[in-house]
Amino acid sequence: MYTKPTQTTSTFIQSRVTSLNYLKPSLCTQQQLRPSRLTARRICLHPLGGPHPLVNTCKALPLDNLPGEAVAAALVLSLPASVLLDEFLDTVVPRVNAITNEESNGVRFFVARPGTGTSIEASNGRIPESGTSPKTRTAVILIHQILGLQKRETELAQALADEEGVVAVAPDTFRGQSTLWPFRAIALGFKYALRDGASWGVESVHETVRWLKAQPDVDPDRIVVAGFCYGGGAAIRYAAAHPGEIAGVAVFYGRPLLEAAEVAKLGNTPVLGMYGTRDSQFPKAMLDKFKVGAPFTLFFLAASCRSHCCPAPAFACHYSALHSSAL
């Protein structure tokens, strides 16, 4: 039985079909298909190649003449199932649990301290034993990208702790969900950032800040929150939601605040931003609008990073900027 897809599913499938160039104009001579209706209805192909009431075309598309399109249709239809499968596997063997070493009120995170090594077992999130009281240090919170918490963030946290002498924490703001499958990442991004009223993981970050302030080796007045992509947007939104809680925020190609009222909530919080000069998601005009409303913002437009999530120089960009913000 045919079930009309929800608008969320319809929009999702529309974007995927459009990107695959599934329907060609030459296949229909009586009407131009409207992009807003490129949904699952378009790929309910009649098995006999005749007219089908659910296909909004001038003529049904025969499978035997369109093997490439049939494959594309099958791929599109399999995407929701692949997302559910990845979610199931993540539930059976939680990926986040394998790379974190601390938990506070339901929020898991990886904690790295100077001289504790690079493995989970070596770090263990604990303060190294010594005969004297621990030295208070700057703390840096690193918020992950849209894929959820990955080993990439834990390795960066440990490198920052070892080389700069800070306490570095990589929290999980997706509540135990993590993936390397792009289409599930899109679903996670919609849930936590793109839909109206999305949380942007603000409360998970706040719990991490509270935990850090209770640590004897952390200076509560020197806590910096930084993030990459989704995490950059989460970092700046945390600073606006909890003004005065942290010493600074670093945004690496994350969505900036654009509403003047939201920017004003930052108060005097120092903001460091890094974006690619050719990042189409966040053009210079958008960043200039943010800078006008945030007088205490220091921005770097990295010439070597020309697109969103620039690959090769990304780690160097992140590390050098975090070095400046943390110290």
Side-chain angles (χ1 to χ4, degrees), residues 38-287:
L38 285 175
T39 64
R41 298 176 63 180
R42 287 290 162 75
I43 45 183
C44 294
L45 304 180
H46 195 282
L48 300 180
H52 194 290
L54 297 180
V55 180
N56 185 32
T57 64
C58 56
K59 183 178 181 181
L61 307 178
L63 288 173
D64 55 349
N65 293 332
L66 299 170
E69 283 77 2
V71 170
L75 288 174
V76 170
L77 289 175
S78 69
L79 291 179
S82 70
V83 171
L84 292 175
L85 175 60
D86 187 73
E87 184 176 343
F88 172 75
L89 294 175
D90 195 17
T91 302
V92 174
V93 183
R95 298 161 185 152
V96 169
N97 291 359
I99 58 174
T100 53
N101 53 19
E102 283 287 352
E103 181 177 0
S104 178
N105 292 327
V107 178
R108 296 194 62 86
F109 37 83
F110 173 81
V111 181
R113 288 184 165 91
T116 55
T118 57
S119 68
I120 296 293
E121 294 76 12
S123 297
N124 220 16
R126 299 172 183 170
I127 303 172
E129 295 182 2
S130 64
T132 61
S133 299
K135 172 186 175 182
T136 57
R137 305 175 184 274
T138 295
V140 180
I141 297 174
L142 306 176
I143 308 176
H144 54 77
Q145 301 186 84
I146 199 173
L147 297 173
L149 184 62
Q150 302 287 337
K151 192 175 181 180
R152 169 185 176 277
E153 283 82 29
T154 65
E155 290 176 346
L156 179 56
Q158 191 64 62
L160 197 63
D162 289 338
E163 298 185 30
E164 300 300 334
V166 303
V167 176
V169 181
D172 162 37
T173 71
F174 283 176
R175 297 289 180 171
Q177 300 176 90
S178 178
T179 186
L180 291 175
W181 181 231
F183 296 103
R184 187 175 176 219
I186 293 173
L188 290 173
F190 179 80
K191 178 179 179 180
Y192 287 98
L194 301 179
R195 65 181 177 85
D196 291 338
S199 68
W200 285 89
V202 165
E203 287 311 306
S204 296
V205 178
H206 193 46
E207 181 58 37
T208 308
V209 171
R210 284 196 294 257
W211 183 88
L212 277 171
K213 288 188 174 184
Q215 301 305 302
D217 61 336
V218 172
D219 184 343
D221 296 323
R222 290 191 294 157
I223 297 177
V224 176
V225 177
F228 319 109
C229 188
Y230 152 81
I236 196 67
R237 282 159 180 78
Y238 172 77
H242 297 276
E245 286 288 326
I246 56 175
V249 58
V251 183
F252 300 99
Y253 45 84
R255 185 169 184 80
L257 299 173
L258 299 178
E259 297 296 328
E262 292 299 312
V263 174
K265 294 178 182 179
L266 292 172
N268 295 340
T269 303
V271 180
L272 179 149
M274 181 172 287
Y275 294 83
T277 52
R278 297 182 184 178
D279 189 342
S280 59
Q281 290 193 40
F282 307 118
K284 188 174 182 299
M286 178 187 291
L287 301 179

